[in-house]
Amino acid sequence: MGLLEVKDVGKRFGGLQALSDVNLSVQENTVHAIIGPNGAGKSTLLNCLIGKLIPDTGSVTFQGQSVLGRKPHEINQMGISRIFQTPEIFGDLTVLENVLIPCFAKRDGSFRMHAFETVEAEKDLNEKAVAMLEDVNMQDKLQMQASSLSRGDKRRLEMAMSLVQDPKLLLLDEPTAGMARADTNSTIDLLKEIKEKRDITMAIIEHDMHVVFSLAERITVLAQGTPLVEDTPDNIRDHPKVREAYLGETQQT
Amino acid sequence: MLGLNQRDTKFLLIVIALTLFTPILLQPFPADSGLAQFNAGYPDLMQRFAIFGIFAIGFNILFGLTGYLSFGHAAFLGVGSYSTVWMFKLLNYNVLPGLVLAIIVSGLFALLIGYVSLRRSGIYFSILTLAFAQMSFNLAYSVLTPITNGETGLQVYNDDPQILMGENGITTTHFFGLKMNASHIMDVGPWQFTFNFGYYFCAVIAILAFYLSLRIFRSPFGMMLRAVKSNQQRMNYTGLSSRPYTLAAFVISGMYAGLAGGLLASMDPLAGAERMQWTASGEVVLMTILGGAGTMMGPILGAGFIKYFENIFSKINDQVLHGWFAFLPDGLENALVWLLHPFVGKGWHLTLGILFMLVVVFLPGGLVELGQRIRNMFRKKPKADNDGSHKPQQTPHVAE
């Protein structure tokens, strides 16, 4: 059984059947990509995975526990971390504080009234946060205000914020959308580096083929709300149905 | 020291020194000189500085850290005052039980209002708090008259129980026998300084309140509150539930307001419903923004500034103006007085309004930013300062 199991999920918006009979299993320690042309239901599926939408039918389980109907912070506490399309960070806070906050969340749970401690006194967490920032090569920017970082650094910081919590599953929502080719490549390198350094499961929702084929070990192709095929990248590339539904179109544009 | 780093300790010591020497610092002009009316070192006003300082410090914990703009904080001020006066009526004139009750009752009240209001954010939150405060204000005037004594205001009467009063009990507010209105007047040459026990009582509590808020600002809890302001969605996806954090901040700031209200009643044992009116809620918003929201010193400066204006500027009337410009030819003198007339005396609100606009437009970080700019001008080389809290942060949009 996989880490994340999606079973018979269906979702309807008015007259539009956005998802129907979606079955998907993300295996531990793999990079699993979900691809598909615009309107295939990728975002709807992702929103079902993170609890933002509740599907009409079917179930989504993570390590055997249902994630449906849970609040975002509960899903995070279960071990699912999410990376957004545009980097979401705490812009007013320093880089170090940005990474300290997830450290506190991991250790103390979703709420704790630690009003009489000081942030500096938490030696362990500070060391952990600094070590994490060293991992993503940001150790010289600890005291910078996060909103003044470059876009690439913001992405790195966001990764650090997720990874410092040691999530079991990293959900990436089009991590390279709207990026220049150079930025896309550096994001790919960053993700590869992360994958090499630690055992982590990633689910990537993406429509950039370059990103998908550089990273994924397993690919699910979504078309019109249903999975068309699920296979390894090599097989997907040569699959006639996929070529017809998706890849052919992309290569022309 | 006391769980603060070196810089904050120095900061706290400066604040303590300033507070303790306020009766001297606010009395820079000799008693008989023409400028004596600008002296602010009399007990009533100094007490107000300290009390509204506490009110603004508390408000800043909510607004400065989380960005939630409450427009109903005066409700807690009123609740605190009523609680304290009730303790005077039931027990005796010792302020301690009253202040404790004020903090507890306003905390519970804040829990109730916060629980409902914090379901919304932005302008909707502001409107909800405003609605609650106006509701309390109107209730205090009408159906709650048995508790609030309606328009007359709640005060102590001779036939009140006052069960701890005893035979020759003290008939003014006191703290274990030390009377709030006791003053020691010291004459140094032409200067006259008044050291009032009530002021020092408020000042010590204000220092404690300031220290507490300094600790909150530096704590992980304070960091989380700043995270709420910065990006609430990210916070939720980081595994933190933002609701209890905002509710805790709301209750803490409500308790600060209740304490301030209790102190107001302790200095003058009378509580009226107008203390809860929306103008009073707006005043603390002005104080915080004028001084610099999100900074430690800002709200205190703002509170002092507004109270000074309210009490000193409003006393300048046409006669005083004529006195100042007496050396000018008559025509010019009259013209000048006519020109300045709308801005002084009863028109002090106009001056304050203009100053407020100037600060918001040119100094978004409030008076603290002004101080910082002046300091940087003298230093020439601005020091890289990354500690966010002393530095004026970008003022959030009012609806945030």
Side-chain angles (χ1 to χ4, degrees), chain A residues 50 52 72-73 76-77 81-82 84 88-94 97 100-102 104-105 109-120 122 143 158 161-162 165, chain B residues 3-5 212 215-216 218-224 226-242 244-245 248 252 386-388 391 393-394:
Chain A
I50 56 167
K52 214 170 172 182
H73 65 88
N76 175 284
Q77 293 284 356
S81 196
R82 186 186 167 189
F84 294 79
E88 288 275 347
I89 51 171
F90 301 113
D92 300 336
L93 276 58
T94 65
E97 283 171 331
L100 275 169
I101 286 173
F104 276 105
S110 59
F111 174 70
R112 199 178 139 214
M113 181 85 191
H114 25 37
F116 292 105
E117 294 145 39
T118 53
V119 180
E120 291 87 40
E122 305 283 354
Q143 295 303 327
E158 194 188 22
M161 289 165 76
S162 279
Q165 292 188 315
Chain B
L4 298 174
N5 64 28
L212 216 62
R215 288 296 300 265
I216 289 175
R218 300 290 182 258
S219 71
F221 176 68
M223 187 169 75
M224 298 302 177
R226 282 187 289 137
V228 171
K229 180 174 171 180
S230 184
N231 192 340
Q232 202 163 343
Q233 162 157 312
R234 172 76 237 194
M235 191 175 169
N236 287 328
Y237 283 105
T238 307
L240 294 159
S241 176
S242 52
Y245 281 104
I252 292 173
N386 288 314
D387 184 348
K391 203 164 70 176
Q393 287 156 350
Q394 203 183 359

Side-chain angles (χ1 to χ4, degrees), chain B residues 148-341:
Chain B
T148 61
N149 208 15
E151 279 179 47
T152 324
L154 192 66
Q155 48 190 298
V156 184
Y157 295 112
N158 285 335
D159 56 350
D160 281 329
Q162 298 202 294
I163 48 175
L164 296 179
M165 194 61 163
E167 268 304 292
N168 298 310
I170 304 169
T171 52
T172 60
T173 56
H174 64 92
F175 181 67
F176 295 109
L178 295 160
K179 287 182 193 168
M180 288 299 158
N181 57 10
S183 287
H184 174 71
I185 294 173
M186 195 168 86
D187 288 302
V188 180
W191 282 276
Q192 191 179 62
F193 303 118
T194 315
F195 299 94
N196 168 262
F197 177 70
Y199 166 70
Y200 277 104
F201 184 74
C202 294
V204 169
I205 293 180
I207 289 169
L208 285 176
F210 179 79
Y211 168 69
L212 216 62
S213 110
L214 194 60
R215 288 296 300 265
I216 289 175
F217 267 63
R218 300 290 182 258
S219 71
F221 176 68
M223 187 169 75
M224 298 302 177
L225 295 182
R226 282 187 289 137
V228 171
K229 180 174 171 180
S230 184
N231 192 340
Q232 202 163 343
Q233 162 157 312
R234 172 76 237 194
M235 191 175 169
N236 287 328
Y237 283 105
T238 307
L240 294 159
S241 176
S242 52
R243 183 81 57 77
Y245 281 104
T246 47
L247 187 60
F250 193 81
V251 171
I252 292 173
S253 85
M255 286 160 100
Y256 268 78
L259 173 66
L263 282 172
L264 275 179
S266 302
M267 296 305 119
D268 180 15
L270 178 75
E274 76 288 342
R275 219 163 257 180
M276 298 172 137
Q277 215 175 355
W278 67 272
T279 45
S281 300
E283 200 181 49
V284 73
V285 178
L286 291 191
M287 286 172 182
T288 310
I289 295 178
L290 192 68
T295 60
M296 284 307 305
M297 222 31 216
I300 307 170
L301 286 179
F305 194 80
I306 287 184
K307 285 294 149 194
Y308 185 82
F309 255 77
E310 185 183 309
N311 289 281
I312 304 294
F313 226 72
S314 60
K315 272 193 290 192
I316 303 171
N317 54 22
D318 283 2
Q319 240 163 4
V320 177
L321 287 179
H322 277 293
W324 288 355
F325 300 120
F327 63 93
L328 292 170
D330 262 4
L332 202 57
E333 180 189 328
N334 288 336
L336 259 177
V337 171
W338 178 80
L339 204 66
L340 288 174
H341 173 78

Side-chain angles (χ1 to χ4, degrees), chain A residues 98-111:
Chain A
N98 265 277
V99 183
L100 275 169
I101 286 173
C103 291
F104 276 105
K106 170 90 178 167
R107 195 193 65 181
D108 299 336
S110 59
F111 174 70

